Amino acid sequence: MAMSIAAHLRAFGTFLDSLGEAIQMLKHEYGDPTIFVFGRGHEPFDVIANHLQVLFQNAVKARRRPSWRVLLDSVVSTLPRGTKLKLVDERNSVGIALSHESIATVSALDRKLGLVVDDIGRHTEFGFGNQEIEHVCAADSMAALAFTTSRSGYARELGLAHVHGLGPTIGFAMIVLRLNDWVPQVRVASAKAIERLMKNDGGPNGGLPYMIAGSMGLLLDDARFGRMAKPERDVVEALISYPKVKDALRTILIFGVSDRAKNQILGLILQTGFYDELLPEVAEKAECSYRRLIAFKALLYRKYIWKEGGKVRERTIELPAHTSEVARRALLDKSANVAFAALGFIIETRDLSGLDDGTVEILLKRPEASLERRIALLRSMIGR
């Protein structure tokens, strides 16, 4: 009996040793959430480079010592699904590091991340093979995104095949970029990845409508997609019309300070006509005065003018809103720039229909120096 107890104790000690080794591996793969916070005090791409180096080195080790990976897999497989998702999805340094980057710089970020991935790959002797990529993606759900930026078309294709969920909007935008990839197989893989995301609302964290809305400046910019064939264009159209995207767009355009990506989205809506119906709400409710100004001007003049390829282009805005009511709201806007534009419209068109007595009284009391000349012109028009 004593030997049996001793044997059990030895077995238990062996189990504890194995568990301790496995926990260290988990920390190596996922980071220790109690002591390690990605991105704190570091540049985003330094964080990504350091993290990928660990993942790539571990993948190379696993190729030579398969038992190492087997032990890790056996421990992870025993965890509850929710815990496993938390380990993977909350420790993805690629997503955390990119989470505050602007979608307006997606092309530059895509190229920069690709250079980081390939450079780390060379230093760690990472072969970008299917087994290695699967190993890294199992350890970091956002690592697949990193592979989609590699200069190797095979690596980009494999990365896209392993994308099943996304973190920040810019990650989704990087996958949309691959719809225009110069390698046909990568374009097909990108379309398949996006179709998977549309089936599961963007992955474990959901929120695909907001990712699509945040990437609308890319999706509506037809000049970016010259290589696409019909299947990829069908995917773009499906994204634009995806359920609840209009509600997400409304939120993005109304809330938040001035942002180049959001302003670009509004400009492309005005150029293309997609979601014109949001303009009255943007004009009246947007927290950003620049977006209110652009929306008000489009509604007042019933057209939008922009430059493209050195040429001036114009599109008519067809909406049921009455110009007089739009002008009245613009004159009363808290932004002097919006009121300045509304005064310019009234003086130019001599359309006084938006001027009731209450609006005129408020307007004449506005203190902004930039409005004085136009208010004086208006007073002479109405005889006050």
Side-chain angles (χ1 to χ4, degrees):
M1 177 67 69
M3 286 188 64
S4 176
I5 292 174
H8 281 298
L9 287 172
R10 283 197 300 272
F12 185 64
T14 302
F15 168 75
L16 289 177
D17 289 342
S18 298
L19 183 61
E21 184 182 353
I23 289 172
Q24 290 303 312
M25 291 175 186
L26 281 169
K27 287 183 178 180
H28 215 36
E29 292 275 309
Y30 300 116
D32 185 344
T34 62
I35 61 173
F36 189 55
V37 180
F38 289 115
R40 182 171 293 174
H42 299 285
E43 290 297 320
F45 279 91
D46 291 338
V47 174
I48 292 172
N50 292 336
H51 187 59
L52 288 180
Q53 185 161 340
V54 172
L55 295 180
F56 285 15
Q57 285 173 340
N58 286 347
V60 173
K61 288 178 187 175
R63 184 175 59 198
R64 297 167 185 162
R65 296 169 54 202
S67 60
W68 187 92
R69 182 63 195 179
V70 169
L71 178 59
L72 178 64
D73 286 342
S74 66
V75 173
V76 173
S77 66
T78 64
L79 295 173
R81 185 173 182 274
T83 303
K84 195 186 304 183
L85 285 175
K86 184 176 181 181
L87 276 171
V88 174
D89 290 326
E90 292 192 6
R91 305 310 309 156
N92 47 39
S93 67
V94 177
I96 293 169
L98 293 177
S99 60
H100 298 296
E101 298 291 343
S102 171
I103 190 71
T105 61
V106 61
S107 295
L109 287 168
D110 181 81
R111 289 191 294 272
K112 187 174 181 181
L113 183 55
L115 291 172
V116 169
V117 170
D118 293 338
D119 187 52
I120 298 299
R122 282 193 301 272
H123 282 93
T124 56
E125 299 181 5
F126 187 84
F128 292 101
N130 193 44
Q131 186 176 358
E132 290 171 318
I133 289 179
E134 284 181 350
H135 175 97
V136 174
C137 290
D140 185 336
S141 63
M142 282 291 291
L145 175 67
F147 292 120
T148 69
T149 66
S150 170
R151 282 171 289 185
S152 164
Y154 181 65
R156 294 198 302 278
E157 184 180 3
L158 276 176
L160 288 163
H162 289 85
V163 170
H164 296 283
L166 289 169
T169 298
I170 197 153
F172 176 75
M174 287 178 175
I175 292 180
V176 171
L177 281 181
R178 299 277 77 82
L179 288 171
N180 195 50
D181 199 275
W182 56 94
V183 177
Q185 292 88 339
V186 176
R187 296 200 293 270
V188 171
S190 177
K192 288 181 179 178
I194 291 171
E195 286 167 356
R196 287 197 304 275
L197 292 168
M198 284 195 286
K199 286 180 181 178
N200 65 7
D201 193 37
N205 299 320
L208 186 59
Y210 280 91
M211 293 183 194
I212 296 172
S215 304
M216 197 61 73
L218 178 63
L219 293 166
L220 294 180
D221 189 357
D222 195 58
R224 287 179 177 263
F225 296 123
R227 299 187 188 95
M228 286 198 313
K230 188 178 184 303
E232 292 86 51
R233 291 192 176 276
D234 289 344
V235 169
V236 171
E237 290 179 10
L239 288 172
I240 293 172
S241 58
Y242 188 79
K244 299 184 179 179
V245 165
K246 186 180 3 181
D247 292 337
L249 260 180
R250 179 185 289 109
T251 300
I252 283 174
L253 293 174
I254 288 177
F255 296 103
V257 297
S258 183
D259 175 88
R260 186 154 65 97
K262 294 175 184 175
N263 297 343
Q264 181 188 39
I265 290 172
L266 179 57
L268 284 165
I269 285 175
L270 288 164
Q271 290 176 28
T272 61
F274 285 104
Y275 297 115
D276 266 352
E277 61 270 28
L278 293 176
L279 290 176
E281 279 189 90
V282 175
E284 188 170 2
K285 300 177 182 178
E287 292 179 359
C288 170
S289 61
Y290 177 77
R291 288 197 289 279
R292 294 201 308 275
L293 172 64
I294 297 304
F296 266 128
K297 288 178 71 173
L299 292 171
L300 285 170
Y301 289 96
R302 296 298 183 108
K303 63 183 178 182
Y304 182 65
I305 301 172
W306 73 99
K307 282 188 177 181
E308 184 180 298
K311 295 182 179 180
V312 176
R313 301 190 181 277
E314 180 178 314
R315 187 181 76 83
T316 301
I317 308 292
E318 297 290 349
L319 284 172
H322 295 292
T323 304
S324 59
E325 178 59 20
V326 173
R328 188 186 69 80
R329 293 202 311 268
L331 288 169
L332 297 176
D333 193 274
K334 59 185 178 182
S335 167
N337 288 334
V338 175
F340 186 85
L343 284 165
F345 170 79
I346 290 171
I347 293 166
E348 179 185 337
T349 62
R350 307 191 72 80
D351 182 353
L352 303 177
S353 57
L355 289 174
D356 56 71
D357 289 342
T359 301
V360 172
E361 288 301 321
I362 293 172
L363 188 61
L364 295 180
K365 294 177 182 178
R366 291 198 68 141
E368 297 95 338
S370 60
L371 300 180
E372 287 179 359
R373 185 171 178 275
R374 289 195 173 186
I375 289 175
L377 287 172
L378 180 65
R379 294 183 71 160
S380 65
M381 285 175 61
I382 62 177
R384 295 186 63 172

XYZ file of all heavy atoms in Angstrom, residues 193-239:
350
model
N -12.485 34.613 -47.028
C -12.345 35.043 -45.633
C -13.462 36.008 -45.253
O -14.051 35.902 -44.164
C -10.979 35.699 -45.426
N -13.767 36.944 -46.134
C -14.825 37.918 -45.854
C -16.183 37.228 -45.795
O -17.030 37.555 -44.954
C -14.808 39.038 -46.904
C -13.548 39.898 -46.711
C -16.054 39.913 -46.793
C -13.311 40.895 -47.815
N -16.401 36.251 -46.666
C -17.667 35.509 -46.641
C -17.829 34.763 -45.318
O -18.926 34.703 -44.767
C -17.728 34.552 -47.834
C -17.982 35.274 -49.155
C -17.732 34.395 -50.366
O -17.286 33.238 -50.193
O -17.979 34.861 -51.506
N -16.713 34.191 -44.790
C -16.777 33.537 -43.480
C -17.148 34.536 -42.391
O -17.957 34.255 -41.512
C -15.427 32.898 -43.124
C -15.081 31.656 -43.883
C -13.955 30.876 -43.182
N -12.759 31.667 -42.956
C -11.789 31.843 -43.835
N -11.884 31.294 -45.042
N -10.725 32.570 -43.547
N -16.526 35.713 -42.468
C -16.801 36.741 -41.464
C -18.254 37.217 -41.534
O -18.866 37.527 -40.507
C -15.847 37.918 -41.642
C -14.373 37.619 -41.330
C -13.484 38.754 -41.810
C -14.176 37.377 -39.843
N -18.805 37.282 -42.744
C -20.201 37.696 -42.880
C -21.143 36.645 -42.295
O -22.225 36.972 -41.815
C -20.536 37.969 -44.347
C -19.991 39.291 -44.858
S -20.713 39.828 -46.436
C -19.903 38.697 -47.577
N -20.726 35.386 -42.312
C -21.575 34.328 -41.767
C -21.569 34.327 -40.244
O -22.543 33.895 -39.622
C -21.105 32.962 -42.286
C -21.460 32.717 -43.749
C -20.966 31.356 -44.214
C -21.302 31.126 -45.691
N -20.773 29.822 -46.174
N -20.471 34.772 -39.630
C -20.406 34.743 -38.162
C -20.294 36.134 -37.549
O -19.825 36.287 -36.425
C -19.260 33.851 -37.690
C -17.885 34.374 -38.088
O -17.757 35.487 -38.610
N -16.856 33.586 -37.866
N -20.717 37.156 -38.298
C -20.774 38.540 -37.803
C -19.412 39.058 -37.356
O -19.304 39.868 -36.448
C -21.776 38.668 -36.651
C -22.102 40.139 -36.337
O -22.180 40.938 -37.296
O -22.252 40.474 -35.157
N -18.344 38.594 -37.998
C -17.016 39.131 -37.708
C -16.190 38.296 -36.761
O -15.079 38.677 -36.425
N -16.713 37.157 -36.299
C -15.938 36.303 -35.407
C -16.464 36.323 -33.991
O -17.566 36.818 -33.719
N -15.702 35.788 -33.033
C -16.170 35.661 -31.644
C -16.594 36.979 -31.016
O -17.482 37.010 -30.183
C -14.945 35.078 -30.916
C -14.136 34.423 -31.971
C -14.348 35.227 -33.218
N -15.957 38.071 -31.395
C -16.285 39.367 -30.794
C -17.402 40.108 -31.520
O -17.873 41.141 -31.061
C -15.032 40.253 -30.754
C -13.934 39.639 -29.913
O -14.208 39.075 -28.864
N -12.700 39.717 -30.368
N -17.814 39.599 -32.689
C -18.907 40.216 -33.434
C -18.571 41.608 -33.941
O -17.411 41.973 -34.109
N -19.621 42.395 -34.176
C -19.427 43.796 -34.550
C -19.078 44.038 -36.001
O -18.523 45.090 -36.334
N -19.412 43.100 -36.904
C -19.054 43.288 -38.306
C -19.666 44.546 -38.926
O -18.994 45.221 -39.707
C -19.431 42.049 -39.125
C -18.985 42.061 -40.585
C -17.474 42.193 -40.705
C -19.461 40.806 -41.319
N -20.925 44.915 -38.637
C -21.462 46.149 -39.234
C -20.592 47.375 -38.963
O -20.424 48.224 -39.846
C -22.847 46.288 -38.586
C -23.246 44.898 -38.249
C -21.963 44.213 -37.846
N -20.022 47.472 -37.752
C -19.170 48.621 -37.429
C -17.827 48.534 -38.150
O -17.261 49.563 -38.544
C -18.975 48.735 -35.920
C -20.148 49.381 -35.241
C -21.199 48.611 -34.759
C -20.235 50.762 -35.129
C -22.308 49.201 -34.166
C -21.328 51.364 -34.538
C -22.370 50.585 -34.052
O -23.465 51.185 -33.483
N -17.314 47.310 -38.327
C -16.079 47.160 -39.095
C -16.296 47.593 -40.547
O -15.456 48.279 -41.135
C -15.610 45.698 -39.076
C -15.160 45.207 -37.725
S -14.554 43.502 -37.861
C -14.497 43.041 -36.133
N -17.433 47.185 -41.117
C -17.746 47.556 -42.500
C -17.937 49.062 -42.600
O -17.402 49.711 -43.508
C -19.005 46.819 -42.989
C -18.753 45.306 -43.030
C -19.422 47.320 -44.377
C -19.993 44.480 -43.304
N -18.701 49.635 -41.670
C -18.949 51.081 -41.695
C -17.638 51.849 -41.563
O -17.404 52.832 -42.267
C -19.909 51.469 -40.577
N -16.758 51.391 -40.673
C -15.477 52.062 -40.497
C -14.578 51.948 -41.705
O -13.682 52.782 -41.904
N -14.803 50.930 -42.535
C -14.002 50.719 -43.744
C -14.693 51.242 -45.001
O -14.224 50.999 -46.110
C -13.730 49.212 -43.933
O -13.112 48.668 -42.805
N -15.794 51.965 -44.831
C -16.576 52.399 -45.988
C -15.784 53.342 -46.891
O -16.003 53.383 -48.107
C -17.870 53.068 -45.510
C -18.940 53.189 -46.593
S -19.498 51.603 -47.264
C -20.469 50.960 -45.910
N -14.854 54.091 -46.320
C -14.014 54.950 -47.144
C -13.156 54.158 -48.108
O -12.738 54.672 -49.151
N -12.891 52.910 -47.772
C -12.150 52.013 -48.652
C -13.108 51.319 -49.624
O -12.846 51.252 -50.831
C -11.410 50.973 -47.803
C -10.590 49.897 -48.497
C -9.450 50.520 -49.287
C -10.050 48.918 -47.469
N -14.227 50.832 -49.123
C -15.168 50.074 -49.945
C -15.804 50.920 -51.052
O -16.096 50.405 -52.139
C -16.273 49.487 -49.056
C -15.827 48.403 -48.073
C -16.911 48.142 -47.032
C -15.480 47.127 -48.818
N -16.021 52.208 -50.785
C -16.658 53.071 -51.787
C -15.659 53.699 -52.752
O -16.062 54.362 -53.705
C -17.452 54.182 -51.080
C -18.652 53.744 -50.252
C -19.336 54.958 -49.628
C -19.662 52.967 -51.090
N -14.367 53.495 -52.502
C -13.334 54.097 -53.346
C -12.996 53.141 -54.488
O -12.080 52.324 -54.406
C -12.087 54.402 -52.513
C -11.059 55.214 -53.284
O -11.293 55.489 -54.476
O -10.024 55.568 -52.693
N -13.732 53.253 -55.574
C -13.603 52.312 -56.689
C -12.207 52.322 -57.304
O -11.765 51.328 -57.879
C -14.642 52.639 -57.762
C -14.809 51.506 -58.763
O -15.136 50.387 -58.330
O -14.585 51.734 -59.962
N -11.499 53.433 -57.176
C -10.163 53.537 -57.781
C -9.175 52.553 -57.164
O -8.149 52.240 -57.770
C -9.633 54.962 -57.632
N -9.476 52.047 -55.964
C -8.574 51.123 -55.288
C -8.704 49.685 -55.792
O -7.918 48.825 -55.418
C -8.847 51.118 -53.781
C -8.380 52.370 -53.050
C -8.738 52.230 -51.583
N -8.258 53.350 -50.783
C -7.125 53.340 -50.090
N -6.333 52.284 -50.146
N -6.765 54.375 -49.362
N -9.715 49.398 -56.602
C -10.041 48.010 -56.899
C -9.974 47.682 -58.390
O -10.836 46.993 -58.923
C -11.438 47.683 -56.354
C -11.532 47.773 -54.857
C -12.455 48.609 -54.259
C -10.693 47.029 -54.053
C -12.551 48.689 -52.879
C -10.771 47.108 -52.667
C -11.704 47.933 -52.079
N -8.934 48.140 -59.034
C -8.818 47.934 -60.481
C -8.586 46.503 -60.900
O -8.874 46.128 -62.040
N -8.052 45.650 -60.007
C -7.746 44.260 -60.374
C -8.904 43.308 -60.112
O -8.848 42.145 -60.506
C -6.525 43.764 -59.587
C -5.239 44.534 -59.831
C -4.081 43.829 -59.122
N -2.867 44.628 -59.172
C -2.479 45.461 -58.211
N -3.231 45.595 -57.125
N -1.363 46.148 -58.321
N -9.931 43.754 -59.438
C -10.984 42.851 -59.007
C -11.800 42.320 -60.175
O -12.127 43.047 -61.107
C -11.928 43.546 -58.016
C -11.345 43.737 -56.651
S -12.601 44.070 -55.383
C -13.590 45.319 -56.152
N -12.156 41.038 -60.078
C -13.095 40.428 -61.019
C -14.496 40.468 -60.388
O -14.667 40.929 -59.256
C -12.672 39.003 -61.315
N -15.482 39.946 -61.096
C -16.860 40.019 -60.617
C -17.072 39.384 -59.237
O -17.775 39.973 -58.401
C -17.802 39.379 -61.629
C -19.278 39.597 -61.271
C -20.189 39.007 -62.317
C -21.648 39.324 -61.986
N -22.079 38.855 -60.662
N -16.484 38.204 -58.938
C -16.717 37.633 -57.595
C -16.279 38.558 -56.465
O -16.986 38.671 -55.445
C -15.870 36.347 -57.621
C -15.786 35.980 -59.064
C -15.720 37.282 -59.796
N -15.127 39.222 -56.646
C -14.668 40.134 -55.589
C -15.550 41.377 -55.506
O -15.837 41.884 -54.417
C -13.216 40.547 -55.828
C -12.201 39.424 -55.653
C -12.007 38.605 -56.912
O -11.777 39.184 -57.986
O -12.108 37.362 -56.832
N -16.003 41.865 -56.661
C -16.900 43.037 -56.658
C -18.238 42.693 -55.993
O -18.845 43.531 -55.324
C -17.114 43.557 -58.080
C -15.861 44.187 -58.662
C -16.135 44.956 -59.948
N -14.915 45.607 -60.392
C -14.481 46.775 -59.956
N -15.192 47.429 -59.038
N -13.365 47.313 -60.405
N -18.683 41.461 -56.198
C -19.916 41.021 -55.530
C -19.752 41.044 -54.011
O -20.683 41.382 -53.278
C -20.291 39.607 -55.991
C -20.790 39.574 -57.431
O -21.137 40.651 -57.963
O -20.817 38.475 -58.019
N -18.546 40.682 -53.546
C -18.276 40.709 -52.102
C -18.334 42.139 -51.579
O -18.916 42.404 -50.517
C -16.902 40.074 -51.803
C -16.490 40.338 -50.358
C -16.935 38.574 -52.065
N -17.750 43.080 -52.319
C -17.780 44.491 -51.912
C -19.221 44.986 -51.826
O -19.619 45.651 -50.851
C -16.962 45.361 -52.885
C -17.186 46.847 -52.592
C -15.476 45.034 -52.780
N -20.037 44.653 -52.820
C -21.442 45.077 -52.813
C -22.193 44.457 -51.636
O -23.039 45.107 -51.014
C -22.094 44.707 -54.136
C -21.589 45.534 -55.322
C -22.240 45.139 -56.635
O -23.224 44.354 -56.601
O -21.776 45.612 -57.693
N -21.881 43.181 -51.333
C -22.537 42.524 -50.200
C -22.157 43.193 -48.887
O -22.984 43.313 -47.969
C -22.156 41.042 -50.170
N -20.912 43.642 -48.777
C -20.482 44.335 -47.564
C -21.194 45.673 -47.417
O -21.643 46.033 -46.324
C -18.965 44.554 -47.595
C -18.093 43.320 -47.388
C -16.620 43.660 -47.642
C -18.265 42.755 -45.987
